[in-house]
Coordinates of all heavy atoms in Angstrom, one line a residue:
M1282 N 8.5 3.5 10.8 CA 7.3 2.7 10.4 C 7.1 1.5 11.4 O 8.1 0.8 11.6 CB 7.4 2.2 9.0 CG 6.2 1.4 8.5 SD 6.4 0.7 6.8 CE 6.4 2.3 5.9
D1283 N 5.9 1.3 11.9 CA 5.7 0.2 12.8 C 5.8 -1.1 11.9 O 5.4 -1.1 10.8 CB 4.3 0.2 13.4 CG 4.2 1.4 14.3 OD1 5.3 1.9 14.9 OD2 3.1 1.9 14.5
E1284 N 6.4 -2.1 12.6 CA 6.5 -3.5 11.9 C 4.9 -4.0 11.8 O 4.2 -4.0 12.7 CB 7.3 -4.4 12.7 CG 7.4 -5.8 12.0 CD 8.2 -6.8 12.8 OE1 8.3 -6.6 14.0 OE2 8.9 -7.6 12.1
R1285 N 4.7 -4.5 10.6 CA 3.5 -5.1 10.3 C 3.5 -6.6 10.4 O 4.4 -7.2 9.9 CB 3.0 -4.6 8.9 CG 2.2 -3.3 8.9 CD 2.9 -2.4 8.0 NE 2.3 -1.1 8.1 CZ 2.3 -0.1 7.1 NH1 3.0 -0.3 6.0 NH2 1.7 1.1 7.3
R1286 N 2.6 -7.0 11.2 CA 2.6 -8.5 11.4 C 1.4 -9.2 10.8 O 0.3 -8.6 10.7 CB 2.6 -8.9 12.9 CG 3.7 -8.4 13.6 CD 3.8 -8.9 15.1 NE 5.2 -8.6 15.6 CZ 6.2 -9.5 15.4 NH1 6.0 -10.6 14.8 NH2 7.4 -9.2 15.9
C1287 N 1.7 -10.4 10.3 CA 0.5 -11.1 9.7 C -0.5 -11.4 10.7 O -0.2 -11.9 11.8 CB 1.0 -12.4 9.0 SG -0.1 -13.4 8.3
P1288 N -1.8 -11.2 10.4 CA -2.9 -11.4 11.3 C -3.1 -12.9 11.5 O -3.7 -13.4 12.5 CB -4.1 -10.8 10.7 CG -3.7 -10.8 9.2 CD -2.3 -10.6 9.1
D1289 N -2.7 -13.8 10.6 CA -2.8 -15.2 10.8 C -1.6 -15.9 11.4 O -1.8 -16.7 12.3 CB -3.0 -15.8 9.4 CG -4.3 -15.3 8.7 OD1 -5.3 -15.0 9.5 OD2 -4.4 -15.4 7.5
C1290 N -0.4 -15.4 11.0 CA 0.8 -16.1 11.5 C 1.4 -15.4 12.6 O 2.2 -16.0 13.4 CB 1.8 -16.3 10.3 SG 1.1 -17.1 8.9
G1291 N 1.2 -14.1 12.7 CA 1.9 -13.3 13.8 C 3.3 -13.0 13.5 O 4.0 -12.5 14.4
V1292 N 3.8 -13.3 12.3 CA 5.2 -13.0 12.0 C 5.3 -11.7 11.3 O 4.4 -11.2 10.7 CB 5.8 -14.2 11.2 CG1 5.8 -15.5 11.8 CG2 5.1 -14.2 9.8
G1293 N 6.5 -11.1 11.3 CA 6.6 -9.8 10.7 C 6.5 -10.0 9.2 O 6.9 -11.0 8.6
M1294 N 5.9 -8.9 8.6 CA 5.7 -9.1 7.1 C 6.7 -8.2 6.4 O 7.3 -7.2 7.0 CB 4.3 -8.5 6.8 CG 3.2 -9.4 7.4 SD 1.5 -8.8 7.0 CE 1.3 -9.5 5.4
E1295 N 7.1 -8.7 5.2 CA 8.2 -8.1 4.5 C 7.6 -7.0 3.4 O 6.5 -7.3 2.8 CB 8.9 -9.1 3.7 CG 9.5 -10.2 4.6 CD 10.1 -11.3 3.8 OE1 9.7 -11.4 2.7 OE2 10.9 -12.1 4.4
E1296 N 8.2 -5.9 3.3 CA 7.8 -5.0 2.2 C 8.0 -5.6 0.9 O 9.0 -6.2 0.6 CB 8.6 -3.7 2.4 CG 8.2 -2.8 3.5 CD 8.9 -1.4 3.4 OE1 9.0 -0.9 2.3 OE2 9.3 -0.9 4.4
T1297 N 7.0 -5.3 0.0 CA 7.1 -5.8 -1.3 C 6.5 -4.7 -2.2 O 6.1 -3.7 -1.7 CB 6.3 -7.2 -1.4 OG1 6.6 -7.6 -2.8 CG2 4.9 -7.0 -1.2
S1298 N 6.4 -5.0 -3.4 CA 5.8 -4.0 -4.3 C 4.8 -4.7 -5.3 O 5.0 -5.9 -5.6 CB 6.8 -3.2 -5.1 OG 7.5 -4.2 -6.0
V1299 N 3.7 -4.0 -5.5 CA 2.7 -4.6 -6.4 C 2.6 -3.6 -7.6 O 2.5 -2.4 -7.4 CB 1.4 -4.7 -5.7 CG1 1.4 -6.0 -4.7 CG2 1.0 -3.5 -5.0
R1300 N 2.7 -4.2 -8.7 CA 2.7 -3.3 -9.9 C 1.8 -4.0 -11.0 O 1.5 -5.2 -10.9 CB 4.1 -3.2 -10.5 CG 5.0 -2.4 -9.6 CD 6.4 -2.3 -10.3 NE 7.3 -1.7 -9.3 CZ 7.4 -0.4 -9.1 NH1 6.6 0.5 -9.8 NH2 8.3 0.1 -8.3
T1301 N 1.3 -3.2 -11.9 CA 0.5 -3.7 -13.0 C 1.4 -4.4 -13.9 O 2.7 -4.3 -13.9 CB -0.2 -2.6 -13.7 OG1 0.7 -1.8 -14.3 CG2 -1.0 -1.7 -12.7
G1302 N 0.8 -5.1 -14.9 CA 1.6 -5.7 -16.0 C 2.5 -4.8 -16.7 O 3.4 -5.1 -17.3
D1303 N 2.0 -3.5 -16.7 CA 2.8 -2.4 -17.4 C 3.9 -1.8 -16.6 O 4.6 -0.9 -16.9 CB 1.9 -1.3 -17.9 CG 0.9 -1.8 -18.9 OD1 1.3 -2.8 -19.7 OD2 -0.3 -1.3 -18.9
G1304 N 4.0 -2.3 -15.3 CA 5.0 -1.8 -14.4 C 4.6 -0.5 -13.7 O 5.5 0.1 -13.1
M1305 N 3.4 -0.2 -13.8 CA 2.9 1.0 -13.1 C 2.6 0.6 -11.7 O 2.0 -0.4 -11.3 CB 1.7 1.6 -13.7 CG 1.8 1.9 -15.2 SD 2.8 3.5 -15.3 CE 1.5 4.6 -14.8
K1306 N 2.9 1.5 -10.7 CA 2.6 1.2 -9.3 C 1.0 1.4 -9.2 O 0.4 2.2 -9.9 CB 3.1 2.4 -8.4 CG 4.6 2.1 -8.2 CD 5.0 2.8 -6.9 CE 4.6 2.1 -5.7 NZ 5.1 2.6 -4.4
L1307 N 0.5 0.6 -8.3 CA -0.9 0.6 -8.1 C -1.4 1.9 -7.3 O -0.5 2.3 -6.5 CB -1.5 -0.7 -7.4 CG -1.2 -2.0 -8.1 CD1 -1.8 -3.1 -7.3 CD2 -1.8 -1.9 -9.5
S1308 N -2.5 2.4 -7.6 CA -3.0 3.5 -6.8 C -4.5 3.3 -6.6 O -5.2 2.5 -7.3 CB -2.7 4.8 -7.5 OG -3.5 4.9 -8.7
I1309 N -5.1 4.0 -5.6 CA -6.5 3.9 -5.4 C -7.0 5.4 -5.4 O -6.3 6.3 -5.1 CB -6.9 3.2 -4.1 CG1 -6.1 4.0 -2.9 CG2 -6.5 1.7 -4.1 CD1 -6.6 3.5 -1.5
S1310 N -8.3 5.4 -5.6 CA -8.9 6.8 -5.5 C -9.3 7.0 -4.1 O -9.9 6.2 -3.4 CB -10.2 6.7 -6.4 OG -10.9 8.0 -6.2
T1311 N -9.0 8.2 -3.6 CA -9.4 8.6 -2.3 C -10.6 9.6 -2.3 O -11.2 9.7 -1.3 CB -8.2 9.4 -1.6 OG1 -8.0 10.6 -2.4 CG2 -6.9 8.6 -1.6
G1312 N -10.8 10.1 -3.4 CA -12.0 11.1 -3.6 C -11.7 12.4 -3.0 O -12.5 13.3 -3.0
K1313 N -10.5 12.6 -2.4 CA -10.1 13.8 -1.8 C -9.6 14.8 -2.9 O -8.8 14.4 -3.8 CB -9.0 13.6 -0.8 CG -9.5 12.9 0.4 CD -8.4 12.8 1.4 CE -8.9 12.2 2.7 NZ -7.7 12.0 3.8
R1314 N -10.0 16.0 -2.8 CA -9.4 17.0 -3.7 C -9.3 18.3 -2.9 O -9.9 19.3 -3.0 CB -10.4 17.3 -4.9 CG -10.4 16.2 -5.9 CD -11.3 16.6 -7.1 NE -11.2 15.5 -8.2 CZ -10.3 15.4 -9.1 NH1 -9.3 16.3 -9.1 NH2 -10.3 14.4 -10.0
E1315 N -8.3 18.2 -2.0 CA -8.0 19.4 -1.1 C -6.6 19.9 -1.4 O -5.7 19.2 -1.8 CB -8.1 18.8 0.4 CG -9.5 18.3 0.7 CD -9.5 17.8 2.0 OE1 -8.5 17.7 2.7 OE2 -10.7 17.4 2.5
G1316 N -6.4 21.1 -1.0 CA -5.1 21.7 -1.1 C -4.6 22.0 -2.5 O -5.4 21.9 -3.5
L1317 N -3.3 22.3 -2.6 CA -2.8 22.6 -3.9 C -2.9 21.5 -4.9 O -3.3 21.6 -6.1 CB -1.3 23.0 -3.7 CG -0.6 23.4 -5.0 CD1 -1.2 24.7 -5.6 CD2 0.9 23.8 -4.8
L1318 N -2.6 20.3 -4.4 CA -2.6 19.1 -5.3 C -4.0 18.9 -5.9 O -4.3 18.5 -7.0 CB -2.1 17.9 -4.6 CG -0.6 17.8 -4.4 CD1 -0.2 16.5 -3.7 CD2 0.2 17.9 -5.7
G1319 N -4.9 19.1 -5.0 CA -6.3 18.9 -5.4 C -6.8 20.0 -6.5 O -7.5 19.6 -7.4
K1320 N -6.3 21.2 -6.3 CA -6.5 22.2 -7.2 C -5.9 21.8 -8.6 O -6.4 22.3 -9.6 CB -6.0 23.6 -6.8 CG -6.8 24.2 -5.6 CD -6.1 25.3 -5.0 CE -6.9 25.9 -3.8 NZ -6.2 27.0 -3.2
L1321 N -4.8 21.2 -8.6 CA -4.2 20.7 -9.8 C -4.8 19.4 -10.4 O -4.4 19.0 -11.4 CB -2.7 20.5 -9.6 CG -1.9 21.7 -9.1 CD1 -0.4 21.4 -8.8 CD2 -1.8 22.7 -10.3
G1322 N -5.7 18.9 -9.6 CA -6.4 17.8 -10.1 C -5.7 16.4 -10.0 O -6.0 15.4 -10.6
V1323 N -4.7 16.4 -9.2 CA -3.9 15.2 -8.9 C -4.0 14.7 -7.5 O -3.2 13.8 -7.1 CB -2.4 15.4 -9.3 CG1 -2.3 15.7 -10.8 CG2 -1.8 16.4 -8.5
G1324 N -4.9 15.2 -6.7 CA -5.0 14.8 -5.3 C -6.0 13.8 -5.1 O -6.3 13.6 -3.9
S1325 N -6.5 13.2 -6.1 CA -7.6 12.3 -5.9 C -7.2 10.8 -5.9 O -8.0 9.9 -5.7 CB -8.7 12.4 -6.9 OG -8.2 12.2 -8.2
T1326 N -6.0 10.6 -6.0 CA -5.5 9.1 -5.9 C -4.2 9.1 -5.0 O -3.6 10.1 -4.8 CB -5.0 8.6 -7.3 OG1 -3.9 9.3 -7.7 CG2 -6.2 8.6 -8.3
T1327 N -4.0 7.9 -4.5 CA -2.8 7.7 -3.6 C -2.2 6.4 -3.9 O -2.9 5.5 -4.3 CB -3.2 7.8 -2.1 OG1 -1.9 7.9 -1.3 CG2 -4.0 6.7 -1.7
S1328 N -0.9 6.3 -3.8 CA -0.2 5.1 -4.0 C -0.5 4.0 -2.9 O -0.9 4.4 -1.8 CB 1.3 5.2 -4.3 OG 1.9 5.7 -3.1
L1329 N -0.1 2.7 -3.3 CA -0.3 1.7 -2.3 C 1.0 1.1 -1.9 O 1.8 0.9 -2.8 CB -1.2 0.6 -2.9 CG -2.7 1.0 -3.1 CD1 -3.5 -0.1 -3.9 CD2 -3.4 1.4 -1.8
D1330 N 1.2 0.9 -0.6 CA 2.3 0.1 -0.1 C 1.9 -1.2 0.2 O 0.9 -1.5 0.8 CB 2.9 0.9 1.2 CG 3.5 2.2 0.9 OD1 4.0 2.4 -0.3 OD2 3.3 3.0 1.7
A1331 N 2.7 -2.2 -0.2 CA 2.4 -3.6 0.1 C 3.3 -4.3 1.0 O 4.5 -4.0 1.0 CB 2.3 -4.4 -1.3
V1332 N 2.8 -5.2 1.9 CA 3.7 -6.0 2.7 C 3.2 -7.5 2.5 O 2.0 -7.7 2.2 CB 3.6 -5.7 4.2 CG1 4.3 -4.3 4.4 CG2 2.2 -5.7 4.7
R1333 N 4.1 -8.4 2.6 CA 3.8 -9.8 2.2 C 4.3 -10.7 3.5 O 5.5 -10.5 4.0 CB 4.7 -10.2 1.0 CG 4.6 -11.6 0.6 CD 5.4 -11.8 -0.7 NE 5.6 -13.2 -1.0 CZ 6.5 -14.0 -0.5 NH1 7.4 -13.6 0.3 NH2 6.5 -15.3 -1.0
C1334 N 3.5 -11.6 3.8 CA 3.8 -12.6 4.8 C 4.8 -13.7 4.2 O 4.4 -14.3 3.2 CB 2.6 -13.2 5.5 SG 3.0 -14.6 6.6
P1335 N 5.9 -13.9 4.8 CA 6.8 -14.9 4.3 C 6.3 -16.3 4.6 O 6.8 -17.3 4.0 CB 8.1 -14.6 5.0 CG 7.7 -14.0 6.3 CD 6.5 -13.2 6.0
E1336 N 5.4 -16.5 5.5 CA 4.9 -17.8 5.9 C 3.7 -18.2 5.0 O 3.8 -19.3 4.4 CB 4.4 -17.8 7.4 CG 5.5 -17.6 8.3 CD 6.5 -18.7 8.3 OE1 6.1 -20.0 8.1 OE2 7.8 -18.6 8.6
C1337 N 2.6 -17.5 5.0 CA 1.4 -17.9 4.2 C 1.2 -17.1 2.9 O 0.3 -17.3 2.3 CB 0.2 -17.8 5.2 SG -0.3 -16.0 5.5
R1338 N 2.1 -16.1 2.7 CA 2.1 -15.3 1.5 C 0.9 -14.4 1.4 O 0.6 -13.9 0.3 CB 2.2 -16.2 0.3 CG 3.6 -17.0 0.2 CD 3.7 -17.7 -1.1 NE 2.8 -18.8 -1.1 CZ 3.1 -20.1 -0.6 NH1 4.2 -20.2 0.1 NH2 2.2 -21.0 -0.6
L1339 N 0.3 -14.1 2.5 CA -0.8 -13.0 2.5 C -0.2 -11.8 2.2 O 0.9 -11.4 2.6 CB -1.4 -13.0 3.9 CG -2.5 -11.9 4.1 CD1 -3.7 -12.1 3.3 CD2 -2.7 -11.6 5.6
V1340 N -0.8 -11.0 1.3 CA -0.4 -9.6 0.9 C -1.4 -8.7 1.5 O -2.5 -8.8 1.2 CB -0.2 -9.5 -0.6 CG1 0.1 -8.0 -0.9 CG2 0.9 -10.4 -1.1
R1341 N -0.9 -7.6 2.2 CA -1.7 -6.6 2.7 C -1.4 -5.3 2.0 O -0.2 -5.1 1.7 CB -1.7 -6.4 4.2 CG -1.9 -7.7 4.9 CD -1.9 -7.4 6.4 NE -3.2 -7.0 6.9 CZ -3.5 -6.7 8.1 NH1 -2.5 -6.7 9.0 NH2 -4.8 -6.3 8.5
L1342 N -2.3 -4.5 1.6 CA -2.1 -3.2 1.0 C -2.4 -2.0 1.9 O -3.5 -2.1 2.6 CB -2.9 -3.1 -0.3 CG -2.7 -4.1 -1.4 CD1 -3.7 -3.9 -2.5 CD2 -1.3 -4.0 -1.9
Y1343 N -1.5 -1.1 2.0 CA -1.8 0.2 2.8 C -1.7 1.4 1.8 O -0.8 1.5 1.1 CB -0.7 0.3 3.8 CG -0.7 -0.8 4.9 CD1 -0.1 -2.0 4.7 CD2 -1.4 -0.6 6.1 CE1 -0.1 -3.0 5.7 CE2 -1.4 -1.6 7.1 CZ -0.8 -2.8 6.8 OH -0.9 -3.7 7.8
A1344 N -2.7 2.3 2.0 CA -2.7 3.5 1.2 C -1.7 4.3 1.8 O -1.6 4.6 3.0 CB -4.1 4.1 1.3
A1345 N -0.9 5.1 0.9 CA 0.1 5.9 1.4 C -0.5 7.2 1.8 O -1.6 7.6 1.6 CB 1.1 6.2 0.3
G1346 N 0.2 8.0 2.7 CA -0.2 9.2 3.1 C -1.3 9.0 4.2 O -1.3 8.0 4.9
D1347 N -2.2 10.0 4.2 CA -3.3 9.9 5.2 C -4.4 9.1 4.7 O -5.6 9.1 5.1 CB -3.7 11.3 5.7 CG -4.2 12.1 4.5 OD1 -4.2 11.6 3.4 OD2 -4.6 13.3 4.7
Ligands
ZN2579 ZN1 0.9 -15.3 7.4

């Protein structure tokens, strides 16, 4: 995985996790329903990976997969 840098500080960002109050990982809707998972009806969301800047505490979210 390429190192992610803060766009403001230029320092490397640290992996972190973002969860709901219930401890569930956050996910977003992709709208995709392709392939086997799509046929099973579970292909329309993807999890989010989060990185955090140790300097300014900016958090960026990346959708997993494609
Ligand atoms: Zn920063």
Side-chain angles (χ1 to χ4, degrees):
M1282 179 186 294
D1283 294 337
E1284 183 180 26
R1285 273 123 184 201
R1286 292 188 171 277
C1287 177
D1289 294 333
C1290 309
V1292 301
M1294 300 181 80
E1295 303 168 342
E1296 285 190 37
T1297 185
S1298 62
V1299 286
R1300 295 180 187 279
T1301 68
D1303 296 328
M1305 300 288 289
K1306 286 201 73 173
L1307 298 184
S1308 64
I1309 59 170
S1310 174
T1311 63
K1313 291 183 179 178
R1314 286 185 178 278
E1315 298 174 355
L1317 181 59
L1318 288 177
K1320 292 173 183 173
L1321 295 174
V1323 296
S1325 60
T1326 62
T1327 189
S1328 61
L1329 293 174
D1330 296 323
V1332 293
R1333 173 182 175 275
C1334 174
E1336 293 292 328
C1337 70
R1338 298 186 287 278
L1339 173 72
V1340 173
R1341 305 184 86 181
L1342 299 174
Y1343 293 85
D1347 58 2

